[in-house]
Amino acid sequence: GENVEQHPSTLSVQEGDSAVIKCTYSDSASNYFPWYKQELGKRPQLIIDIRSNVGEKKDQRIAVTLNKTAKHFSLHITETQPEDSAVYFCAASPSNFGNEKLTFGTGTRLTIIP
Amino acid sequence: EAGVTQFPSHSVIEKGQTVTLRCDPISGHDNLYWYRRVMGKEIKFLLHFVKESKQDESGMPNNRFLAERTGGTYSTLKVQPAELEDSGVYFCASSPLGRQYGYTFGSGTRLTVV
């Protein structure tokens, strides 16, 4: 089955700096890669996703890149703000429709230092 | 639009007891998923319903876990008898069938078995 590894497990950055979280996956059949943000005590929320026919996707300060050959994808947050502090999870799925099971990474706790 | 609702938010039970978790998906969402996060680890897939049918239950740990979705609306996940290793946060998520949307997660039920 699919295996997703996520690094780092914790990350602290100064407010205004950039943060990068990296994930690798094992199953070449995976073609849908969402990122979820979970604030303390709240539900995981989808913040951005990418499909295998796209190499990069950007939404304001958040971007995701995908390298299918190397089987890795990354989340980039620029101009970080205190409200970016949360646990971030990457995931992979074999479905283009996001309607099949997700295999998650172990999460990255991001702390933004004011 | 109401989100995915889970009851209870917290549950503390003794080893050997029974607990039933409930999930109310977003109205009209035919896909319903159960996931679990054990402390500090990844969010792991348990099972997937399409309407009232179990599409994939490959992640269910053992036969102490029973999930139902009668009528294709809300779902229950029963653990009987509970063991210490069942402690964790149980998440439910839902999505429309056949559309390219990510999941909407509930806030989870934190289960502690003592």
Side-chain angles (χ1 to χ4, degrees):
Chain A
E2 175 66 278
N3 181 52
V4 176
E5 294 191 358
Q6 183 171 349
H7 300 280
S9 56
T10 60
L11 178 62
S12 295
V13 301
Q14 289 291 139
E15 182 178 352
D17 288 350
S18 295
V20 180
I21 302 169
K22 298 182 179 182
C23 290
T24 60
Y25 62 98
S26 60
D27 188 351
S28 57
S30 288
N31 53 25
Y32 173 67
F33 307 92
W35 286 87
Y36 285 84
K37 173 185 180 182
Q38 187 181 19
E39 297 177 74
L40 191 62
K42 296 189 177 180
R43 68 192 69 203
Q45 289 196 300
L46 178 70
I47 56 171
I48 196 167
D49 56 14
I50 192 167
R51 293 178 173 83
S52 60
N53 58 342
V54 176
E56 183 174 357
K57 183 176 177 181
K58 191 173 182 180
D59 182 4
Q60 299 182 335
R61 297 186 297 108
I62 294 173
V64 57
T65 58
L66 171 64
N67 182 328
K68 283 221 78 179
T69 303
K71 296 197 186 76
H72 65 71
F73 56 113
S74 300
L75 177 71
H76 304 253
I77 307 174
T78 59
E79 300 172 19
T80 53
Q81 300 169 3
E83 55 264 36
D84 295 330
S85 293
V87 178
Y88 291 80
F89 293 94
C90 63
S93 167
S95 170
N96 268 322
F97 293 89
N99 280 339
E100 293 187 18
K101 67 181 179 184
L102 296 175
T103 301
F104 283 88
T106 49
T108 296
R109 182 174 298 279
L110 174 63
T111 302
I112 306 303
I113 304 166
Chain B
E1 172 181 80
V4 177
T5 307
Q6 292 187 244
F7 305 98
S9 57
H10 295 84
S11 180
V12 181
I13 62 171
E14 292 184 352
K15 176 181 171 181
Q17 289 187 321
T18 297
V19 64
T20 300
L21 314 181
R22 173 169 168 150
C23 169
D24 286 70
I26 292 173
S27 178
H29 281 194
D30 290 329
N31 287 302
L32 187 149
Y33 305 84
W34 283 98
Y35 284 80
R36 174 174 74 173
R37 188 180 191 212
V38 174
M39 179 73 74
K41 297 193 175 181
E42 73 271 29
I43 301 172
K44 287 194 83 170
F45 170 83
L46 296 178
L47 87 160
H48 170 204
F49 283 100
V50 176
K51 298 183 181 179
E52 68 274 11
S53 300
K54 291 176 184 174
Q55 184 78 6
D56 181 351
E57 52 184 328
S58 61
M60 294 289 262
N62 50 60
N63 59 9
R64 295 185 294 102
F65 289 74
L66 175 64
E68 295 181 321
R69 192 183 182 193
T70 306
T73 54
Y74 71 90
S75 175
T76 58
L77 179 64
K78 181 191 289 188
V79 185
Q80 179 183 29
E83 298 289 344
L84 298 179
E85 64 264 25
D86 300 331
S87 296
V89 181
Y90 289 76
F91 290 104
C92 175
S94 71
S95 69
L97 191 63
R99 296 170 70 184
Q100 295 191 19
Y101 288 145
Y103 299 171
T104 300
F105 275 90
S107 297
T109 294
R110 181 175 296 278
L111 174 65
T112 303
V113 183
V114 298

